[in-house]
Structures are given as C-alpha cells and as structure tokens.
Amino acid sequence: MATLEPSPGSRCHAPAMSQIEVTPARRRRRWPLFLGLGVVLPPFGLFGLSMVLTPPLEPPTAAELVALPPPDPAVVKAVETQAAAVSWPEGVLDGPEAKALLLNVMLAVQARLEAQPGYTVTFKKSERIDGQLQPEQTLEMKIRHKPFGLYLKFLKPDAGKEVVYHEGHYDNDLIAHGGKLTRLFLPRLKVPPDSPLALKGNRHPVTEAGLLNLTRKLVRFRMLDLNDVDAGTVLDRVTEPDGKTYLRSVHTHPHNTGVRPFSYVEILYDPETRIPVRFTGYDWPQSDSESGERILGEQYCYEALNLEANLTDLDFDPANPAYEFKRF
C-alpha cells in the first residue's frame, strides 16, 4: 500500500459613442489625429484610441433577462446516485483499483455538471508564467455551459477588472477592461480569447475555464492512467487547517513522455458532490538541478460554489448595468 507524503502547501483555502457610421475613408483620416494625441497627450490619446477600437455596447433586451432553465431533476438524481454508489475508501487505496474507482467517480461528476446550466463560484488561481510564480488571484466567476458564457470580476489583485466571453456574440471575442486607473485610459478591450494579449499572464484561454472543462480534462487523463503501469494513483482523505475534510487523489508520473503536463498532481474533491474543488499541478523539472523538486505550476481553487444560481443572458453581456464596461 502506498505511503503519502504530507499534503503540499496550499496557496488558497477551502478568476455612448455616436451612432453615426464611420466610413473607411473617414476612419483613415482619424488615425493620425489619435496617434498624434497618443504622443503629445498620452492619457487623452489612449482614451480616444480606445473609443475607436472598441464597439459601442448595445442595451440589454427583454429576452436577456429570462433565467436559464433549471437542470432536469431526474438527471441530477440519477448521476448523484451513480456517484454515491462508488464508495470512496476510508483509508488509503492505490493501484489499478484506485484508478478504476476514480474514473467512475469523475464520469459521474462530468454527467452531473453537464446537466447543470451554470453556476457561480469564487475562483482563486496561482500560475507560474515564464518561470515566475505569480501572486494568487481571487475572482468572482459566473459560468454557463450551453452556449458557453463566462464572467470574471477580479477581487484581488487588480480589483475591479472584468472579463466577459459569450459564445456566438462579439465575433466570439472576449471583452475586458482593467482595474484601478487603467480603466480611465483603456476602458475596454475586444480580442480573441487565444490571442497573445488575452493570454498575457495566463496559462489557459478563458474558453477552458470552469469546473466542467476541468472535469473533462481529468476524465481524459484518468483514462490514460488505466493502461499506464507507471502512472501512480492514490486515493485517501485529508483534513485542512480549517478542520474541513476533503477526498483526495494524488497522481505521480516518473517519466515525461510529452503526454502529461505535470509530474505530480494533487486534487481535492467535495465529499458530498465529488466535484473537484482544488487542482494543484507541479511542472516537470526543466534541468537536472531541479530534478527531485516539486515546482508548483498552477493551482485552481473553487469556493462558495452555487449550483442554484439564477443566471440569465444578461450575466454574460458587457452591457449589464451592474458591470463597469461602459466608457464613462
């Protein structure tokens, strides 16, 4: 039976313009003016440039105020029963039995989340970018599954920053604005979610965010584990400093074959829903000097999960009057 080392340290606990049409010729004549302002008067030049580069926000329609339909109670009950039927070990379990049990649990969790229209959650993330572990970020998150929608409001650091992505809207681009003084000069940005600008300071695009996307990835890797004799899987339980107990899986991989992004992974699950609430992945060593060390690559924590949130299309619309995407 496997012996686990103490749980690695955690960084989080249990992310009106004028309506007059501007013709291409008129737009070309405006560029020198705004670029000139950007040189002579940087604050005003940047503000004017952002007015040209970002589209006006349309007011919300009545249809956007309609709440999303609730999940089918029969489907929810069925998948909850399926997950509960797989008994998590009271002690420590490893080897092929642990791999098979965990895969069955994650398949049930995936079905549970797929039956859920959306949710709200407090999201905390830590990521290593260009070799440097960035400060932990705390965000208010709203997620809808079909069509995919995401809203993020940064609580710390860069408080006030907001991001919206609404599949099928705004050319499938994300809309974002910075926090603090940044918003005064560059109030809004519209870019593809996989563009270098959108990915600056992030390991993953916003289209990969959320618990369902995370669970689907975990299912895929658990399937790989079944036929990988070198992949280590250990199931147990762990009690955090706040006294709350979580289910836990630990995954180890001795060789970097290019298939797995991490050498060591620890995942905590809610003991009732089995939903993963903390993912911690440790990067592969980049050199012999790092061999044997655990290098935190990314950690994602989900707290205050509300699966009963009454979300509407307006929650994924930058024109929402509760948001700060307007220029003024």
Side-chain angles (χ1 to χ4, degrees), residues 82-320:
Q82 179 184 352
V86 182
S87 298
W88 199 275
E90 291 294 335
V92 178
L93 181 67
D94 65 352
E97 187 178 351
K99 294 178 181 181
L101 187 153
L102 183 56
L103 176 58
N104 287 333
V105 169
M106 296 316 299
L107 287 170
V109 170
Q110 178 177 311
R112 170 71 172 90
L113 291 172
E114 288 175 341
Q116 187 70 36
Y119 57 87
T120 62
V121 71
T122 298
F123 178 53
K124 296 182 178 180
K125 74 168 187 171
S126 301
E127 294 180 328
R128 185 175 300 275
I129 306 295
D130 296 329
Q132 297 296 319
L133 189 61
Q134 304 301 303
E136 182 181 81
Q137 297 178 332
T138 303
L139 308 89
E140 171 189 334
M141 176 188 282
K142 300 178 184 179
I143 289 280
R144 179 177 63 185
H145 294 142
K146 293 181 180 179
F148 184 75
L150 171 140
Y151 167 76
L152 296 173
K153 181 175 182 178
F154 287 67
L155 303 180
K156 62 180 183 180
D158 200 17
K161 178 180 177 180
E162 292 178 297
V163 178
V164 161
Y165 176 81
H166 194 174
E167 184 179 0
H169 296 259
Y170 291 97
D171 305 314
N172 283 322
D173 288 344
L174 65 81
I175 309 294
H177 71 76
K180 302 178 181 178
L181 294 177
T182 306
R183 182 175 171 271
L184 298 178
F185 306 114
L186 293 174
R188 204 162 67 244
L189 187 68
K190 176 179 177 291
V191 294
D194 58 353
S195 66
L197 189 56
L199 288 173
K200 182 177 175 59
N202 298 285
R203 280 195 167 199
H204 309 281
V206 297
T207 48
E208 295 182 11
L211 287 165
L212 179 54
N213 282 325
L214 171 61
T215 300
R216 285 170 172 164
K217 288 182 180 180
L218 296 181
V219 166
R220 186 168 69 251
F221 285 114
R222 300 297 74 82
M223 288 180 173
L224 287 175
D225 289 345
L226 288 179
N227 299 315
D228 185 349
V229 295
D230 291 328
T233 298
V234 179
L235 306 184
D236 67 353
R237 300 167 189 256
V238 61
T239 300
E240 293 288 280
D242 61 5
K244 187 170 182 179
T245 298
Y246 296 90
L247 310 180
R248 179 174 71 163
S249 68
V250 175
H251 308 273
T252 55
H253 310 288
H255 308 295
N256 185 1
T257 62
V259 176
R260 303 175 187 276
F262 303 107
S263 63
Y264 183 96
V265 172
E266 179 179 343
I267 306 166
L268 300 188
Y269 309 84
D270 180 89
E272 295 182 3
T273 65
R274 315 290 178 87
I275 291 174
V277 293
R278 183 190 302 164
F279 174 92
T280 307
Y282 291 82
D283 288 339
W284 292 98
Q286 297 299 308
S287 64
D288 291 339
S289 62
E290 294 179 346
S291 181
E293 296 182 24
R294 288 187 190 163
I295 305 168
L296 179 61
E298 55 189 43
Q299 183 177 78
Y300 306 111
C301 305
Y302 302 84
E303 302 176 357
L305 175 63
N306 180 12
L307 295 172
E308 307 300 327
N310 188 28
L311 300 175
T312 72
D313 278 351
L314 188 59
D315 288 288
F316 310 100
D317 188 339
N320 188 327

